[in-house]
Amino acid sequence: RGGRNSPRRGGGGAAATPVRDGARQRPARVPSSLERGYADDEDSATRKAAQQRRAVALLVFAITLHNFPEGLAVGVGFGGAAAGLAGQSRAKARNLALGIGLQNFPEGLAVSLPLRRAGLPASRAFLLGQLSGVVEPVGGVLGACLVTMVTPILPYALAFAAGAMIYVVVDQLLPESLEGKGGTKQQTLAFMGGFGLMMIMDVALG
């Protein structure tokens, strides 16, 4: 005869108890070091992407803001020449417009290329680069119409525009360019060449 603890009977034997206790006491699975590494990489990539978006937004805003006083300067040049103000002529206004127009090309690239690298389609990055200069004609018309009112504040507006660009270059563009592979020689030569070109244009165009 089988006893009370016989495995054939479904009584309260001790045979099934360890299984139920084991199921209740099973320890929680600890993430492996590989899984923790993946999570850390994802967090780092997210933070880096957010920083990149903020940097690109700051660059676009600064260049757009910088373009408005340049338009004012061109408008004042032509408006002053038309009004016959002392020291103003159409030749000077044309040279000023030519110089500002030429330096707008690298400014447009400075907007479009970071946007493209941030993942935007090429057409949209190009369009936003062009839109950053839309405020310049607006400033030109305003400067030409209000030449007598704008002339006294123009030096301060241009100083603000220059300061905005210097801040963006020092805080964003130069550190980002030095993060690339291949050392800093190429970046340094490009900076020196661009600076020398702008000095030549400044002297040549008066």
Side-chain angles (χ1 to χ4, degrees), residues 15 26 32 40 42 52 59 86 95 115 130 171 179 183 200:
R26 181 180 298 172
S32 66
D40 292 341
E42 290 179 357
Q52 187 178 21
L59 176 64
N95 289 339
L115 290 174
Q130 300 304 307
D171 186 69
E179 291 178 357
I200 292 173

Side-chain angles (χ1 to χ4, degrees), residues 122-205:
S123 57
R124 188 176 178 186
F126 175 80
L127 179 61
L128 291 175
Q130 300 304 307
L131 289 177
S132 67
V134 168
V135 297
E136 200 160 311
V138 176
V141 173
L142 186 62
C145 295
L146 305 174
V147 58
T148 56
M149 296 176 59
V150 173
T151 300
I153 66 171
L154 186 59
Y156 303 100
L158 291 175
F160 175 79
M165 282 306 301
I166 291 174
Y167 172 78
V168 170
V169 169
V170 173
D171 186 69
Q172 297 291 336
L173 298 183
L174 286 180
E176 187 175 350
S177 68
L178 296 177
E179 291 178 357
K181 298 180 180 179
T184 61
K185 185 176 180 180
Q186 183 178 358
Q187 294 90 326
T188 303
L189 291 176
F191 175 80
M192 293 174 61
F195 183 82
L197 178 61
M198 292 307 299
M199 292 297 100
I200 292 173
M201 291 175 56
D202 183 60
V203 173
L205 298 177

Side-chain angles (χ1 to χ4, degrees), residues 105-116:
F105 283 99
E107 284 183 1
L109 287 175
V111 173
S112 298
L113 292 180
L115 290 174
R116 176 59 177 157

Side-chain angles (χ1 to χ4, degrees), residues 46-130:
T46 302
R47 288 194 299 268
K48 187 174 181 180
Q51 292 174 356
Q52 187 178 21
R53 286 193 296 268
R54 286 194 296 268
V56 171
L58 175 63
L59 176 64
V60 173
F61 176 74
I63 290 182
T64 303
L65 196 64
H66 155 89
N67 282 333
F68 185 75
E70 290 182 348
L72 283 177
V74 174
V76 166
F78 283 100
L85 297 180
Q88 300 290 342
S89 67
R90 291 188 177 183
K92 289 183 178 180
R94 282 195 300 268
N95 289 339
L96 178 62
L98 177 61
I100 290 180
L102 289 176
Q103 61 96 38
N104 279 340
F105 283 99
E107 284 183 1
L109 287 175
V111 173
S112 298
L113 292 180
L115 290 174
R116 176 59 177 157
R117 189 171 59 179
L120 268 70
S123 57
R124 188 176 178 186
F126 175 80
L127 179 61
L128 291 175
Q130 300 304 307

